[in-house]
Amino acid sequence: QESNEKVESINTLVNQIFRQYVKWHNPASKTGFMYWSIALLTRMIDFLTDEEVVELAEYYVKNELKGIMRMIGQEYTVSSFLDGFLTWLRVSSIRYKHMSNENVDDCAIYLNMGRKWSIWFENYLQLVFEDLKEKNVELEVTDNTVSFKLKK
């Protein structure tokens, strides 16, 4: 049915499933990733203050991210972070648009999870890029979207 809805062949869908499993689902399961509903995650973070949301992003970047990237077979570099982050967005069915050329990576992420998740993602991305010594990045945030432009 999904094949008919997306006007894709069964082979194309099967290849996508295998690719996602090998690239993300299998390695991510070894790092402790779990599936939660967006409604639950949104409700949980809404109980935190803005300051606590920022602290949570800081903790995650400083204490979790590098180990997770190593566990999924990635180096901690800007290019491997972007690759892993975009893969995570795709397999998580988070709507985004990514354009890349020789001068810039431009990414707009439509979270639709409220202001506090936008605050979390803004700080998460800012901290990652700072940690990776990347200075040519611009972030833009609304209540439901986070966008960044990374100049190469």
Side-chain angles (χ1 to χ4, degrees), residues 45-110:
I45 206 166
D46 281 344
F47 284 105
L48 302 177
T49 66
D50 289 359
E51 294 78 23
E52 290 170 325
V53 171
V54 171
E55 288 174 16
L56 188 61
E58 289 172 351
Y59 172 84
Y60 187 76
V61 171
K62 290 178 183 174
N63 298 293
E64 301 290 331
L65 183 60
K66 288 179 188 175
I68 288 170
M69 290 193 65
R70 286 189 188 103
M71 287 291 293
I72 63 172
Q74 297 280 348
E75 295 180 22
Y76 189 59
T77 63
V78 172
S79 61
S80 61
F81 168 76
L82 280 177
D83 180 56
F85 183 68
L86 294 171
T87 298
W88 174 78
L89 289 172
R90 187 171 38 261
V91 301
S92 298
S93 298
I94 294 174
R95 291 180 279 177
Y96 73 98
K97 183 175 185 177
H98 177 245
M99 294 183 298
S100 183
N101 61 40
E102 63 275 356
N103 300 318
V104 69
D105 273 294
D106 189 351
C107 188
I109 306 157
Y110 182 66

Side-chain angles (χ1 to χ4, degrees), residues 1 11 14 35 42 57-58 108 119 127 131 141 143 146 150 152:
Q1 182 178 3
N11 285 341
V14 169
Y35 297 98
T42 301
E58 289 172 351
I119 291 170
L127 290 163
D131 195 36
V141 179
D143 283 351
V146 176
L150 176 63
K152 299 177 184 177

Side-chain angles (χ1 to χ4, degrees), residues 110-123:
Y110 182 66
L111 298 165
N112 198 29
M113 294 173 69
R115 188 179 65 80
K116 297 223 177 164
W117 273 109
S118 291
I119 291 170
W120 190 91
F121 272 96
E122 173 189 27
N123 283 277

